Structures are given as C-alpha cells and as structure tokens.
Amino acid sequence: MDSVEKTPNRSEQKSRKFLKSLIRKQPQELLLVIGTGVSAAVAPGIPALCSWRSCIEAVLEAAEQLEVLHPGDVAEFRTKVTKDRDLLVVAHDLIRKMSPRTGDTKPNFFQDCLMEIFDNLELHIQNPLVLQSILSLMERGTMVLTTNYDNLLELFGQQQNKPMESLDLKDKTKEALQNLYRTKSFLFVGCGETLRDQIFQALFLYSVPNKVDLEHYMVVLKESEDHFFKQQADMLLHGIKVVSYGDCFDDFPGYVQDLATQICKQRSPDADQVDSTTLLGNACQDCAKRKLEENGIEVAKKLRQSEDAGGS
C-alpha cells in the first residue's frame, strides 16, 4: 500500500513574505481595486464568477430566457465564446449589442441579465472573511472601488452598514480616477484579466504620464514562471509591481486576509478622519468638494467661537 504524504496545513506551511514597500504603507495611502477574483473566492459556487467564458455564457442564457436578444445573435455569440481567444472583446461586443445605439450605456438589457444571474448572491457567500478583511482596510482609511458586474461587495457592505457602489470606468469619473492614480498607490486584487482590458489600458497604462514615478501593486496567480516573470518585468515599466499570491486559486483567500492584516498594523493616528466608505462613483469630486465645504464650515464656527470668547 502506497504511503500517503501528509499535506501541511496553513499553520505548518512556510510563512509568506510580503513586499515591505507594500505592507509598510499607511492604509489611507492605498486605493484597493477589487476584481471578480474576490467575488469568486467569496462565492465559489457561482459559475458566472469563475471566468469570462462562464460569465458570457450565463448572460446569453439569461438573455435567451428573458427574450432580450435575437436568437440569431445568441447563436452568433455562443460561437464566438467557443472560438474567439480574446473573450474580453467578446464581452464588450455583447454589452454594446444589448445597449442603445445612441452610445448611452443606460438603460440596457445587459443590466437585466446581470440581475437575473446574480439574484440573491448574498446567500451564496462561503468565505466572508475575505470581504471582512477588505472592510477592515476601509475602516482604517483605504479607499475601495470595484468594477465588478456582480454586486457582492455592495451587498456585504450594506449588511455591515458600510455603503459601497461599483464604478463604470467609462463614466465621467475618468479624470478623477487618473488624478488618484497619480497620488495613491493602487492595489489590484482579484483583477487577473484587468491588464488585458482595453478600457483599463487606455485609462491608466497609456494616459497617465510619468508612470515610472508611480508605485502600484497587482496580486496575480502564478500560472507559469515564464509568464509571471515576463508580466512582472513588463508592468514594472508602468509603475506596477506584480506579486504572486500562489500557484493555486485556493491560496487566494488566505493571502488576502494575511495581506490585509499586515497593512492594518500600519494604522496611523488620523486614519479615523478618512472617509473611505463611499466609492468613486460620486466620491472623487463631489465628496471631496463636500468635505472641503464641511471643513470650511467647521473652521468658520471655530473662528466665531474664538472671537466670541475674546470679546466676552
């Protein structure tokens, strides 16, 4: 009988090393970008979260059931899913097909299909500690945004009384995002396909000047050493340090929790003053303006109080 080699549990495994330049940053210095990989780790039982292929197939099935896409178009996109290599392009083509021809993204049937696919998503949460780690960073001043099609992060935030909202990279917040990209360290988590997204590339990689002066981070799966180290070298030219959470997706939840714990140790005394619970959909300019106005009111009150005290 063959001997069975004992698989070391997490406590027995060699402790993971993190980049000191990352874990020594104050939480409020970071902007955490949440990708679909986070949702897939939190709710692994939802096929549409596992890959672009699965997501597109689920959208097509929903479109067929809701009768919001011509059967001929459904068949055409199913063929593309099986034959085309670049599924991100297929996904963008499908979104455009289900949106108004005026170029406006709302209203559109694509959103209805997503609502059908991700209905009652909160009931499928299996690893809430991943989301709890994200909320811990937020409570210490880390700004968080997600471009995910699912609303898992928002639902969990509502349960924890931490309102959140997702962001469309094509909306009017582009300029504000690019400004943040120059002043914050972005930490991309669960964004494995993001680097290939044309919208992301146009928004950050090719539009922001002086990229070598930036210091951003992206956590990825190391599928093969050659691919990983090539990606690492390529992205370093854009100011992005690519690091691996492991060579298996099962390593991802534990990595996120450990990384968040390390960063949370760097909490600064004034972290409580940072408003990080509202995402960039409205926060970049409107909330900043509101904060300035609120601060101005507070300063005016203090000045009046000091004048009153001096005159009494």
Side-chain angles (χ1 to χ4, degrees), residues 73-253:
D73 292 325
V74 172
E76 180 182 348
F77 275 103
R78 280 182 172 150
T79 301
K80 287 184 176 182
V81 169
T82 57
K83 292 185 177 181
D84 286 21
R85 291 185 178 181
D86 197 338
L87 295 177
L88 282 173
V89 173
V90 177
H92 287 309
D93 289 344
L94 180 58
I95 294 171
R96 283 194 292 267
K97 190 70 177 180
M98 303 179 73
S99 303
R101 296 180 182 179
T102 58
D104 188 9
T105 58
K106 295 180 181 180
N108 62 71
F109 285 126
F110 182 73
Q111 292 295 331
D112 290 285
C113 292
L114 293 179
M115 292 172 66
E116 187 72 18
I117 295 169
F118 298 125
D119 189 35
N120 297 321
L121 190 59
E122 67 275 16
L123 301 179
H124 299 274
I125 293 178
Q126 296 183 27
N127 293 317
L129 289 179
V130 175
L131 293 178
Q132 192 60 57
S133 297
I134 294 171
L135 289 182
S136 296
L137 287 170
M138 291 178 63
E139 290 169 354
R140 289 160 176 80
T142 299
M143 189 176 288
V144 179
L145 76 84
T146 174
T147 58
N148 289 355
Y149 289 135
D150 66 87
N151 60 346
L152 186 59
L153 187 61
E154 294 93 321
L155 290 171
F156 188 78
Q158 290 173 5
Q159 293 176 358
Q160 305 297 315
N161 197 29
K162 296 285 184 181
M164 308 180 198
E165 59 187 82
S166 60
L167 177 71
D168 185 351
L169 292 181
K170 295 179 292 184
D171 67 16
K172 62 183 180 180
T173 62
K174 279 184 179 181
E175 184 178 349
L177 271 174
Q178 290 179 335
N179 288 335
L180 281 169
Y181 200 70
R182 297 184 185 98
T183 58
K184 295 271 188 182
S185 283
F186 277 46
L187 173 58
F188 298 93
V189 178
C191 303
E193 295 292 324
T194 300
L195 289 176
R196 294 174 51 242
D197 190 294
Q198 295 175 355
I199 297 175
F200 170 82
Q201 291 176 358
L203 186 60
F204 297 121
L205 299 190
Y206 305 128
S207 300
V208 179
N210 302 321
K211 288 181 280 292
V212 292
D213 298 329
L214 305 175
E215 189 173 48
H216 304 300
Y217 303 86
M218 177 170 283
V219 178
V220 302
L221 172 69
K222 186 172 67 176
E223 297 180 270
S224 71
E225 288 192 343
D226 289 344
H227 174 74
F228 170 74
F229 286 108
K230 182 181 185 305
Q231 184 184 52
Q232 194 176 63
D234 291 343
M235 287 301 103
L236 202 56
L237 295 174
H238 296 284
I240 299 177
K241 293 181 177 180
V242 175
V243 295
S244 165
Y245 62 78
D247 55 10
C248 175
F249 186 67
D250 291 341
D251 298 331
F252 182 71

Side-chain angles (χ1 to χ4, degrees), residues 36-61:
T36 308
V38 172
S39 298
V42 173
I46 305 297
L49 296 175
C50 297
S51 67
W52 272 111
R53 188 181 305 279
S54 299
C55 182
I56 295 171
E57 289 173 345
V59 170
L60 290 173
E61 183 177 352

